[in-house]
PDB file of all heavy atoms in Angstrom:
ATOM      1  N   LEU C  50     134.258  86.743 130.930  1.00 94.00           N
ATOM      2  CA  LEU C  50     133.533  85.515 131.491  1.00 94.00           C
ATOM      3  C   LEU C  50     133.531  84.286 130.525  1.00 94.00           C
ATOM      4  O   LEU C  50     133.648  83.180 130.909  1.00 94.00           O
ATOM      5  CB  LEU C  50     132.070  85.943 131.778  1.00 94.00           C
ATOM      6  CG  LEU C  50     131.110  85.047 132.479  1.00 94.00           C
ATOM      7  CD1 LEU C  50     131.663  84.504 133.799  1.00 94.00           C
ATOM      8  CD2 LEU C  50     129.732  85.671 132.688  1.00 94.00           C
ATOM      9  N   TYR C  51     133.415  84.695 129.217  1.00 96.00           N
ATOM     10  CA  TYR C  51     133.441  83.599 128.255  1.00 96.00           C
ATOM     11  C   TYR C  51     134.452  83.934 127.082  1.00 96.00           C
ATOM     12  O   TYR C  51     134.090  84.386 126.014  1.00 96.00           O
ATOM     13  CB  TYR C  51     131.943  83.516 127.541  1.00 96.00           C
ATOM     14  CG  TYR C  51     130.878  83.444 128.547  1.00 96.00           C
ATOM     15  CD1 TYR C  51     129.958  84.514 128.681  1.00 96.00           C
ATOM     16  CD2 TYR C  51     130.817  82.229 129.345  1.00 96.00           C
ATOM     17  CE1 TYR C  51     128.883  84.389 129.461  1.00 96.00           C
ATOM     18  CE2 TYR C  51     129.643  82.258 130.220  1.00 96.00           C
ATOM     19  CZ  TYR C  51     128.714  83.223 130.309  1.00 96.00           C
ATOM     20  OH  TYR C  51     127.660  83.198 131.099  1.00 96.00           O
ATOM     21  N   TRP C  55     131.550  80.202 121.428  1.00 98.00           N
ATOM     22  CA  TRP C  55     130.475  79.354 121.801  1.00 98.00           C
ATOM     23  C   TRP C  55     129.500  78.956 120.651  1.00 98.00           C
ATOM     24  O   TRP C  55     129.177  79.791 119.882  1.00 98.00           O
ATOM     25  CB  TRP C  55     129.600  79.857 122.950  1.00 98.00           C
ATOM     26  CG  TRP C  55     129.998  79.372 124.316  1.00 98.00           C
ATOM     27  CD1 TRP C  55     129.348  78.499 125.108  1.00 98.00           C
ATOM     28  CD2 TRP C  55     131.047  79.813 125.174  1.00 98.00           C
ATOM     29  NE1 TRP C  55     129.887  78.170 126.243  1.00 98.00           N
ATOM     30  CE2 TRP C  55     131.057  79.054 126.344  1.00 98.00           C
ATOM     31  CE3 TRP C  55     132.200  80.669 124.985  1.00 98.00           C
ATOM     32  CZ2 TRP C  55     131.965  79.134 127.392  1.00 98.00           C
ATOM     33  CZ3 TRP C  55     133.014  80.817 126.095  1.00 98.00           C
ATOM     34  CH2 TRP C  55     132.947  80.008 127.139  1.00 98.00           C
ATOM     35  N   HIS C  93     130.645  72.520 121.785  1.00 98.00           N
ATOM     36  CA  HIS C  93     130.037  73.690 122.380  1.00 98.00           C
ATOM     37  C   HIS C  93     130.963  74.816 122.603  1.00 98.00           C
ATOM     38  O   HIS C  93     130.516  75.978 122.555  1.00 98.00           O
ATOM     39  CB  HIS C  93     129.122  73.313 123.653  1.00 98.00           C
ATOM     40  CG  HIS C  93     129.811  73.590 124.977  1.00 98.00           C
ATOM     41  ND1 HIS C  93     130.825  72.930 125.457  1.00 98.00           N
ATOM     42  CD2 HIS C  93     129.193  74.390 125.989  1.00 98.00           C
ATOM     43  CE1 HIS C  93     131.037  73.498 126.694  1.00 98.00           C
ATOM     44  NE2 HIS C  93     130.061  74.257 127.047  1.00 98.00           N
ATOM     45  N   ILE C  94     132.306  74.681 122.779  1.00 98.00           N
ATOM     46  CA  ILE C  94     133.255  75.711 122.920  1.00 98.00           C
ATOM     47  C   ILE C  94     134.351  75.418 122.026  1.00 98.00           C
ATOM     48  O   ILE C  94     134.904  74.308 121.940  1.00 98.00           O
ATOM     49  CB  ILE C  94     133.712  75.935 124.245  1.00 98.00           C
ATOM     50  CG1 ILE C  94     132.581  76.029 125.284  1.00 98.00           C
ATOM     51  CG2 ILE C  94     134.613  77.242 124.399  1.00 98.00           C
ATOM     52  CD1 ILE C  94     133.106  76.162 126.767  1.00 98.00           C
ATOM     53  N   TYR C 103     139.859  80.903 131.715  1.00 96.00           N
ATOM     54  CA  TYR C 103     138.464  80.323 131.718  1.00 96.00           C
ATOM     55  C   TYR C 103     138.730  78.951 132.155  1.00 96.00           C
ATOM     56  O   TYR C 103     139.699  78.261 132.058  1.00 96.00           O
ATOM     57  CB  TYR C 103     137.970  80.295 130.249  1.00 96.00           C
ATOM     58  CG  TYR C 103     136.681  79.644 130.302  1.00 96.00           C
ATOM     59  CD1 TYR C 103     135.578  80.189 130.686  1.00 96.00           C
ATOM     60  CD2 TYR C 103     136.584  78.299 129.754  1.00 96.00           C
ATOM     61  CE1 TYR C 103     134.194  79.536 130.700  1.00 96.00           C
ATOM     62  CE2 TYR C 103     135.337  77.605 129.635  1.00 96.00           C
ATOM     63  CZ  TYR C 103     134.213  78.330 130.247  1.00 96.00           C
ATOM     64  OH  TYR C 103     132.932  77.669 130.090  1.00 96.00           O
ATOM     65  N   PHE C 104     137.619  78.587 132.965  1.00 97.00           N
ATOM     66  CA  PHE C 104     137.692  77.167 133.443  1.00 97.00           C
ATOM     67  C   PHE C 104     136.253  76.455 133.091  1.00 97.00           C
ATOM     68  O   PHE C 104     135.277  77.154 133.303  1.00 97.00           O
ATOM     69  CB  PHE C 104     137.892  76.995 134.913  1.00 97.00           C
ATOM     70  CG  PHE C 104     137.781  75.617 135.341  1.00 97.00           C
ATOM     71  CD1 PHE C 104     138.788  74.696 135.180  1.00 97.00           C
ATOM     72  CD2 PHE C 104     136.577  75.086 135.961  1.00 97.00           C
ATOM     73  CE1 PHE C 104     138.699  73.333 135.639  1.00 97.00           C
ATOM     74  CE2 PHE C 104     136.533  73.748 136.204  1.00 97.00           C
ATOM     75  CZ  PHE C 104     137.534  72.929 136.066  1.00 97.00           C
ATOM     76  N   PRO C 105     136.260  75.313 132.618  1.00 98.00           N
ATOM     77  CA  PRO C 105     137.381  74.482 132.106  1.00 98.00           C
ATOM     78  C   PRO C 105     137.805  74.785 130.717  1.00 98.00           C
ATOM     79  O   PRO C 105     137.107  74.896 129.763  1.00 98.00           O
ATOM     80  CB  PRO C 105     136.682  73.034 132.175  1.00 98.00           C
ATOM     81  CG  PRO C 105     135.210  73.313 131.872  1.00 98.00           C
ATOM     82  CD  PRO C 105     134.943  74.635 132.352  1.00 98.00           C
ATOM     83  N   TRP C 110     139.827  70.024 129.097  1.00 98.00           N
ATOM     84  CA  TRP C 110     139.059  69.121 128.027  1.00 98.00           C
ATOM     85  C   TRP C 110     140.002  68.193 127.293  1.00 98.00           C
ATOM     86  O   TRP C 110     139.683  67.084 127.083  1.00 98.00           O
ATOM     87  CB  TRP C 110     138.322  69.987 127.003  1.00 98.00           C
ATOM     88  CG  TRP C 110     137.107  70.809 127.609  1.00 98.00           C
ATOM     89  CD1 TRP C 110     136.943  71.964 127.944  1.00 98.00           C
ATOM     90  CD2 TRP C 110     135.755  70.167 127.791  1.00 98.00           C
ATOM     91  NE1 TRP C 110     135.666  72.214 128.442  1.00 98.00           N
ATOM     92  CE2 TRP C 110     134.900  71.085 128.352  1.00 98.00           C
ATOM     93  CE3 TRP C 110     135.302  68.851 127.576  1.00 98.00           C
ATOM     94  CZ2 TRP C 110     133.498  70.895 128.606  1.00 98.00           C
ATOM     95  CZ3 TRP C 110     133.890  68.576 127.793  1.00 98.00           C
ATOM     96  CH2 TRP C 110     133.122  69.676 128.390  1.00 98.00           C
ATOM     97  N   ILE C 121     131.774  68.233 124.050  1.00 98.00           N
ATOM     98  CA  ILE C 121     130.305  68.106 124.107  1.00 98.00           C
ATOM     99  C   ILE C 121     129.738  69.135 123.149  1.00 98.00           C
ATOM    100  O   ILE C 121     130.512  69.904 122.675  1.00 98.00           O
ATOM    101  CB  ILE C 121     129.665  68.199 125.516  1.00 98.00           C
ATOM    102  CG1 ILE C 121     130.160  69.595 126.084  1.00 98.00           C
ATOM    103  CG2 ILE C 121     130.082  67.046 126.462  1.00 98.00           C
ATOM    104  CD1 ILE C 121     129.297  69.946 127.451  1.00 98.00           C
ATOM    105  N   GLN C 123     126.113  71.539 121.674  1.00 98.00           N
ATOM    106  CA  GLN C 123     125.039  72.524 122.084  1.00 98.00           C
ATOM    107  C   GLN C 123     123.924  72.475 121.089  1.00 98.00           C
ATOM    108  O   GLN C 123     124.066  71.912 120.017  1.00 98.00           O
ATOM    109  CB  GLN C 123     125.695  73.918 122.192  1.00 98.00           C
ATOM    110  CG  GLN C 123     125.642  74.377 123.574  1.00 98.00           C
ATOM    111  CD  GLN C 123     126.263  75.896 123.817  1.00 98.00           C
ATOM    112  OE1 GLN C 123     126.759  76.492 122.854  1.00 98.00           O
ATOM    113  NE2 GLN C 123     126.169  76.430 124.995  1.00 98.00           N
ATOM    114  N   TRP C 180     125.437  71.294 130.229  1.00 98.00           N
ATOM    115  CA  TRP C 180     126.023  72.361 129.336  1.00 98.00           C
ATOM    116  C   TRP C 180     125.532  72.176 127.937  1.00 98.00           C
ATOM    117  O   TRP C 180     125.531  73.046 127.161  1.00 98.00           O
ATOM    118  CB  TRP C 180     127.582  72.347 129.339  1.00 98.00           C
ATOM    119  CG  TRP C 180     128.081  73.122 130.680  1.00 98.00           C
ATOM    120  CD1 TRP C 180     127.413  73.986 131.446  1.00 98.00           C
ATOM    121  CD2 TRP C 180     129.500  72.890 131.163  1.00 98.00           C
ATOM    122  NE1 TRP C 180     128.227  74.314 132.418  1.00 98.00           N
ATOM    123  CE2 TRP C 180     129.521  73.730 132.352  1.00 98.00           C
ATOM    124  CE3 TRP C 180     130.539  72.185 130.708  1.00 98.00           C
ATOM    125  CZ2 TRP C 180     130.551  73.884 133.081  1.00 98.00           C
ATOM    126  CZ3 TRP C 180     131.629  72.331 131.606  1.00 98.00           C
ATOM    127  CH2 TRP C 180     131.742  73.099 132.729  1.00 98.00           C
ATOM    128  N   GLU C 181     125.141  70.949 127.569  1.00 99.00           N
ATOM    129  CA  GLU C 181     124.801  70.749 126.195  1.00 99.00           C
ATOM    130  C   GLU C 181     123.403  71.410 125.904  1.00 99.00           C
ATOM    131  O   GLU C 181     123.067  71.800 124.710  1.00 99.00           O
ATOM    132  CB  GLU C 181     124.707  69.244 125.760  1.00 99.00           C
ATOM    133  CG  GLU C 181     126.078  68.631 125.734  1.00 99.00           C
ATOM    134  CD  GLU C 181     126.118  67.310 124.982  1.00 99.00           C
ATOM    135  OE1 GLU C 181     125.152  66.442 125.250  1.00 99.00           O
ATOM    136  OE2 GLU C 181     127.080  67.099 124.220  1.00 99.00           O
ATOM    137  N   GLY C 183     122.520  74.258 126.954  1.00 98.00           N
ATOM    138  CA  GLY C 183     122.730  75.707 126.890  1.00 98.00           C
ATOM    139  C   GLY C 183     122.097  76.468 128.130  1.00 98.00           C
ATOM    140  O   GLY C 183     122.199  77.629 128.317  1.00 98.00           O
ATOM    141  N   ASP C 185     122.393  75.801 131.432  1.00 98.00           N
ATOM    142  CA  ASP C 185     123.458  75.086 132.351  1.00 98.00           C
ATOM    143  C   ASP C 185     122.712  74.435 133.660  1.00 98.00           C
ATOM    144  O   ASP C 185     122.740  73.403 134.031  1.00 98.00           O
ATOM    145  CB  ASP C 185     124.687  75.886 132.781  1.00 98.00           C
ATOM    146  CG  ASP C 185     125.343  76.415 131.433  1.00 98.00           C
ATOM    147  OD1 ASP C 185     124.825  76.121 130.354  1.00 98.00           O
ATOM    148  OD2 ASP C 185     126.428  76.940 131.683  1.00 98.00           O
ATOM    149  N   ASP C 209     134.655  81.563 136.771  1.00 97.00           N
ATOM    150  CA  ASP C 209     133.555  82.370 136.476  1.00 97.00           C
ATOM    151  C   ASP C 209     133.344  83.343 137.690  1.00 97.00           C
ATOM    152  O   ASP C 209     132.974  84.473 137.554  1.00 97.00           O
ATOM    153  CB  ASP C 209     132.272  81.563 136.137  1.00 97.00           C
ATOM    154  CG  ASP C 209     131.934  80.585 137.367  1.00 97.00           C
ATOM    155  OD1 ASP C 209     132.868  79.947 137.916  1.00 97.00           O
ATOM    156  OD2 ASP C 209     130.858  80.379 137.618  1.00 97.00           O
ATOM    157  N   ARG C 218     125.405  82.823 139.722  1.00 98.00           N
ATOM    158  CA  ARG C 218     125.985  81.698 138.930  1.00 98.00           C
ATOM    159  C   ARG C 218     125.525  80.362 139.437  1.00 98.00           C
ATOM    160  O   ARG C 218     125.079  80.273 140.639  1.00 98.00           O
ATOM    161  CB  ARG C 218     127.495  81.848 139.110  1.00 98.00           C
ATOM    162  CG  ARG C 218     128.112  83.002 138.349  1.00 98.00           C
ATOM    163  CD  ARG C 218     128.013  83.004 136.830  1.00 98.00           C
ATOM    164  NE  ARG C 218     128.930  81.716 136.230  1.00 98.00           N
ATOM    165  CZ  ARG C 218     128.785  81.332 135.021  1.00 98.00           C
ATOM    166  NH1 ARG C 218     128.025  82.044 134.141  1.00 98.00           N
ATOM    167  NH2 ARG C 218     129.403  80.311 134.579  1.00 98.00           N
ATOM    168  N   PRO C 219     125.902  79.251 138.691  1.00 98.00           N
ATOM    169  CA  PRO C 219     125.557  77.889 139.181  1.00 98.00           C
ATOM    170  C   PRO C 219     126.342  77.626 140.536  1.00 98.00           C
ATOM    171  O   PRO C 219     127.222  78.333 141.004  1.00 98.00           O
ATOM    172  CB  PRO C 219     125.997  77.056 138.155  1.00 98.00           C
ATOM    173  CG  PRO C 219     126.200  77.772 136.934  1.00 98.00           C
ATOM    174  CD  PRO C 219     126.383  79.231 137.494  1.00 98.00           C
ATOM    175  N   TYR C 224     128.768  72.547 139.699  1.00 98.00           N
ATOM    176  CA  TYR C 224     130.110  72.486 139.134  1.00 98.00           C
ATOM    177  C   TYR C 224     130.688  70.988 139.378  1.00 98.00           C
ATOM    178  O   TYR C 224     131.353  70.454 138.471  1.00 98.00           O
ATOM    179  CB  TYR C 224     130.903  73.613 139.550  1.00 98.00           C
ATOM    180  CG  TYR C 224     131.006  74.688 138.444  1.00 98.00           C
ATOM    181  CD1 TYR C 224     129.950  75.635 138.321  1.00 98.00           C
ATOM    182  CD2 TYR C 224     132.030  74.804 137.541  1.00 98.00           C
ATOM    183  CE1 TYR C 224     129.957  76.534 137.342  1.00 98.00           C
ATOM    184  CE2 TYR C 224     131.999  75.699 136.436  1.00 98.00           C
ATOM    185  CZ  TYR C 224     131.004  76.620 136.418  1.00 98.00           C
ATOM    186  OH  TYR C 224     130.990  77.629 135.322  1.00 98.00           O
ATOM    187  N   TYR C 227     129.241  68.960 136.781  1.00 98.00           N
ATOM    188  CA  TYR C 227     129.774  69.231 135.460  1.00 98.00           C
ATOM    189  C   TYR C 227     131.183  68.612 135.325  1.00 98.00           C
ATOM    190  O   TYR C 227     131.421  68.056 134.288  1.00 98.00           O
ATOM    191  CB  TYR C 227     129.878  70.766 135.291  1.00 98.00           C
ATOM    192  CG  TYR C 227     128.631  71.603 135.437  1.00 98.00           C
ATOM    193  CD1 TYR C 227     128.693  72.982 135.771  1.00 98.00           C
ATOM    194  CD2 TYR C 227     127.324  71.070 135.255  1.00 98.00           C
ATOM    195  CE1 TYR C 227     127.607  73.698 135.864  1.00 98.00           C
ATOM    196  CE2 TYR C 227     126.213  71.855 135.370  1.00 98.00           C
ATOM    197  CZ  TYR C 227     126.335  73.220 135.724  1.00 98.00           C
ATOM    198  OH  TYR C 227     125.202  74.020 135.880  1.00 98.00           O
ATOM    199  N   TYR C 369     121.048  82.920 137.002  1.00 98.00           N
ATOM    200  CA  TYR C 369     121.310  82.268 135.650  1.00 98.00           C
ATOM    201  C   TYR C 369     120.069  81.695 135.007  1.00 98.00           C
ATOM    202  O   TYR C 369     119.225  82.416 134.681  1.00 98.00           O
ATOM    203  CB  TYR C 369     122.555  81.285 135.910  1.00 98.00           C
ATOM    204  CG  TYR C 369     123.540  81.181 134.785  1.00 98.00           C
ATOM    205  CD1 TYR C 369     123.830  82.222 133.949  1.00 98.00           C
ATOM    206  CD2 TYR C 369     124.062  79.946 134.557  1.00 98.00           C
ATOM    207  CE1 TYR C 369     124.885  81.974 132.969  1.00 98.00           C
ATOM    208  CE2 TYR C 369     125.094  79.682 133.561  1.00 98.00           C
ATOM    209  CZ  TYR C 369     125.363  80.853 132.693  1.00 98.00           C
ATOM    210  OH  TYR C 369     126.302  80.636 131.686  1.00 98.00           O
ATOM    211  N   TRP C 370     120.154  80.414 134.797  1.00 98.00           N
ATOM    212  CA  TRP C 370     118.927  79.803 134.106  1.00 98.00           C
ATOM    213  C   TRP C 370     117.888  79.303 135.052  1.00 98.00           C
ATOM    214  O   TRP C 370     117.147  78.404 134.661  1.00 98.00           O
ATOM    215  CB  TRP C 370     119.503  78.719 133.357  1.00 98.00           C
ATOM    216  CG  TRP C 370     120.240  79.129 132.038  1.00 98.00           C
ATOM    217  CD1 TRP C 370     121.618  79.240 132.007  1.00 98.00           C
ATOM    218  CD2 TRP C 370     119.606  79.596 130.802  1.00 98.00           C
ATOM    219  NE1 TRP C 370     121.880  79.818 130.750  1.00 98.00           N
ATOM    220  CE2 TRP C 370     120.759  80.021 130.030  1.00 98.00           C
ATOM    221  CE3 TRP C 370     118.382  79.788 130.449  1.00 98.00           C
ATOM    222  CZ2 TRP C 370     120.677  80.481 128.638  1.00 98.00           C
ATOM    223  CZ3 TRP C 370     118.166  80.314 129.021  1.00 98.00           C
ATOM    224  CH2 TRP C 370     119.340  80.656 128.203  1.00 98.00           C
ATOM    225  N   GLU C 412     123.243  90.036 129.598  1.00 98.00           N
ATOM    226  CA  GLU C 412     123.135  88.604 129.361  1.00 98.00           C
ATOM    227  C   GLU C 412     121.709  88.187 129.830  1.00 98.00           C
ATOM    228  O   GLU C 412     121.150  87.432 129.190  1.00 98.00           O
ATOM    229  CB  GLU C 412     124.277  87.947 130.269  1.00 98.00           C
ATOM    230  CG  GLU C 412     124.394  86.502 130.033  1.00 98.00           C
ATOM    231  CD  GLU C 412     125.583  85.868 130.929  1.00 98.00           C
ATOM    232  OE1 GLU C 412     126.247  86.642 131.576  1.00 98.00           O
ATOM    233  OE2 GLU C 412     125.861  84.596 130.729  1.00 98.00           O
TER     234      GLU C 412
HETATM  235  C1  DGY Z  18     129.777  78.671 131.331  1.00 86.21           C
HETATM  236  O1  DGY Z  18     131.170  78.669 131.413  1.00 86.21           O
HETATM  237  O2  DGY Z  18     129.096  79.018 132.187  1.00 86.21           O
HETATM  238  C2  DGY Z  18     129.148  78.140 130.091  1.00 86.21           C
HETATM  239  O3  DGY Z  18     127.784  78.487 130.100  1.00 86.21           O
HETATM  240  C3  DGY Z  18     129.400  76.681 129.883  1.00 86.21           C
HETATM  241  O4  DGY Z  18     129.090  76.514 128.576  1.00 86.21           O
END
Side-chain angles (χ1 to χ4, degrees):
L50 185 56
Y51 309 116
W55 258 259
H93 99 296
I94 308 178
Y103 177 75
F104 176 82
W110 286 102
I121 55 174
Q123 244 182 354
W180 281 339
E181 293 199 314
D185 305 6
D209 57 321
R218 293 291 298 173
Y224 260 80
Y227 302 156
Y369 213 34
W370 288 98
E412 191 176 1

